[in-house]
Amino acid sequence: MTTTVIIGGSFAGMTAALEIKRKGKDQHKVILIDKSPLFLFIPSLIWVPFGRRDIKDISFKKEGILTKKGIDFVNEEATKIDATAQIVYTDKGEYHYDNLVIATGPKVKYDIAPGVEEFSHYVGTPNGAMKIRTALQEFKKNPGPIVIGATQNAGCMGAAYEFLFNIEKWLREENIRKKVDLYWITPEDYLGHFGIDGMPMGESMLKGFMKMFNIHYRTEVGVKEVQKNKVILTNDEELPSDFTMLMPPFIGVDLVTNSPDLHATPAGYIPVGDDYRHRDYKNIWAAGIAVDVKLPFTPKSVPFGSPKTGYPSDETGKIVAENIIRVAKGQAQLIKKEWGRIPGLCIMDAGKKEVIIFSTSLFKPRTFAIMIPNIIFDFNKVILEKYFLWKSKNGYAFLP
Ligand SMILES: Cc1cc2nc3c(=O)[nH]c(=O)nc-3n(C[C@H](O)[C@H](O)[C@H](O)COP(=O)(O)OP(=O)(O)OC[C@H]3O[C@@H](n4cnc5c(N)ncnc54)[C@H](O)[C@@H]3O)c2cc1C
């Protein structure tokens, strides 16, 4: 019997756990450690501030399905890894492993600039999304300028664009749009770069949206400081703001930075090959955001990163599971798929409108890439949410 410990039970980790158990059956013991008891469909957090979703609508307790599938769920925080002794330490106990999968996602680097944590909002956590809901109720009593965007080094610009178009729609629904100067700020070289060097028609489509919705924008800017009523950009321009939402950069979680054995990159990501196996340890694997991905482009003047989205996170969870099974069977040939060659599949919500983004690979060169706008309703995004929650609740990780 091989024991695999997986740290992190979200898009990447839950997929890996379910797939190892499905394929390995009684030959594989799987222990999933996660500090959160909930599986959360993070992409729908952008709807929480506007009351379109509550956290309970987009999350469920994961222990039930994991136990049903024969996986041991440990609701603890992993604090350190000893790669030589093959032990994961948690705040309550320790777990020995034959294989270890690191699927811990990101830590948000709020200290990227002074005032970001104190004076701007972040939509990417349940708490952050709920705080925005409360703040917007106050804001609408006395509307003023708004700044939405991403800071220097950020990689998850797509979610910030989604929030921008959702808040614009909310302002119109609240009949206060005319009282609000809405600004978009981004480190990207051009609108719609998205950290993947753009998509055909992407820049012109986003320019069209900005014009149609009367949104002022600044590209190639970082944030020098956020204050209570303004955002100071790296080019020293000051934008007045009574409500600010920013996407800071992601870095590796404390567990990784506190475990020097892991030889993580300076940003806290795990160095793996195209088989998602650690470059220095044959029995350590990584999936999802925890993976170190080399930037496929050079930013012009302000640094920014690449997004690590849900589809490749799920996909790398599957690859890791298959490779662990193969190694246990003594097979030498492993599945290899470079992160940037995984197909790109994403739906960007544009405030009850949407843009479907598909490409044969995440990074260039791509054989085929397309952005399809749907201005009638964001039903594909809604269907994706329902499908993913259904698939996860039932443990059907083998599905796409
Ligand atoms: C606001 C927002 C919107 C997004 N929208 C989209 C979208 O529309 N489409 C898309 O494809 N992607 C989207 N993404 C990205 C998507 O959410 C990520 O790609 C995905 O969540 C990555 O999965 P993961 O499993 O690697 O990490 P995560 O989902 O971050 O999960 C990491 C897990 O590890 C656990 N963990 C961390 N550290 C420890 C520890 N020390 N001990 C125990 N457990 C630990 C956490 O509790 C968590 O459950 C969005 C992201 C954000 C923030």
Side-chain angles (χ1 to χ4, degrees), residues 63-303:
E63 182 160 15
I65 186 64
L66 291 169
T67 309
K68 191 172 161 198
K69 298 285 179 183
I71 296 162
D72 296 351
F73 177 59
V74 176
N75 187 194
E76 293 171 18
E77 175 160 9
T79 50
K80 199 172 163 83
I81 293 160
D82 182 333
T84 312
Q86 299 182 198
I87 299 174
V88 175
Y89 295 92
T90 73
D91 46 3
K92 292 183 195 137
E94 53 183 70
Y95 299 84
H96 290 253
Y97 63 82
D98 299 311
N99 284 300
L100 175 66
V101 181
I102 300 169
T104 40
K107 173 178 172 174
V108 181
K109 189 171 166 49
Y110 292 107
D111 64 359
I112 183 72
V116 169
E117 180 154 23
E118 203 178 347
F119 297 116
S120 74
H121 289 271
Y122 173 63
V123 71
T125 61
N127 258 349
M130 287 307 291
K131 271 191 191 160
I132 294 177
R133 191 189 278 191
T134 310
L136 290 180
Q137 291 311 309
E138 275 308 300
F139 173 88
K140 74 180 184 188
K141 292 179 194 160
N142 189 16
I146 289 182
V147 175
I148 309 294
T151 72
Q152 56 274 35
N153 296 101
C156 190
M157 273 76 70
Y161 275 109
E162 289 188 304
F163 184 82
L164 172 75
F165 295 122
N166 275 272
I167 203 167
E168 197 282 334
K169 177 152 200 316
W170 176 82
L171 292 168
R172 277 185 284 126
E173 284 169 351
E174 296 292 329
N175 290 321
I176 52 174
R177 181 65 184 92
K178 287 200 174 112
K179 296 181 179 165
V180 176
D181 258 340
L182 184 53
Y183 285 88
W184 167 251
I185 58 167
T186 179
E188 294 160 282
D189 298 346
Y190 55 87
L191 287 182
H193 184 297
F194 294 130
I196 52 168
D197 205 2
M199 291 284 289
M201 313 273 289
E203 184 179 10
S204 51
M205 196 182 290
L206 278 159
K207 276 186 175 164
F209 279 2
M210 297 299 180
K211 196 168 171 198
M212 180 161 76
F213 296 126
N214 191 22
I215 300 169
H216 316 288
Y217 63 87
R218 307 282 188 270
T219 54
E220 283 188 78
V221 290
V223 171
K224 194 174 195 177
E225 187 175 350
V226 183
Q227 295 180 2
K228 191 161 185 283
N229 294 105
K230 65 173 142 178
V231 177
I232 306 168
L233 304 179
T234 43
N235 61 8
D236 286 329
E237 186 183 7
E238 297 192 1
L239 299 177
S241 181
D242 288 347
F243 174 88
T244 306
M245 198 304 290
L246 293 174
M247 187 61 63
F250 292 165
I251 53 173
V253 299
D254 292 344
L255 163 72
V256 173
T257 38
N258 291 340
S259 303
D261 277 9
L262 291 179
H263 308 160
T265 64
Y269 295 123
I270 309 296
V272 292
D274 294 344
D275 48 8
Y276 299 91
R277 192 179 215 177
H278 197 292
R279 291 194 186 278
D280 304 323
Y281 299 98
K282 283 194 171 314
N283 62 346
I284 299 185
W285 310 75
I289 290 181
V291 168
D292 175 42
V293 177
K294 297 283 169 261
L295 210 58
F297 59 89
T298 310
K300 262 203 239 156
S301 55
V302 180

Side-chain angles (χ1 to χ4, degrees), residues 7-50:
I7 314 174
S10 178
F11 282 64
M14 189 138 148
T15 302
L18 288 161
E19 281 296 89
I20 293 173
K21 198 64 196 169
R22 183 178 71 87
K23 293 180 172 180
K25 303 200 168 55
D26 293 345
Q27 297 302 306
H28 286 259
K29 180 179 171 67
V30 180
I31 302 170
L32 178 66
I33 302 174
D34 198 311
K35 60 185 176 183
S36 167
L38 295 181
F39 178 90
L40 173 70
F41 188 69
I42 297 172
S44 294
L45 281 175
I46 49 142
W47 289 335
V48 170
F50 312 104

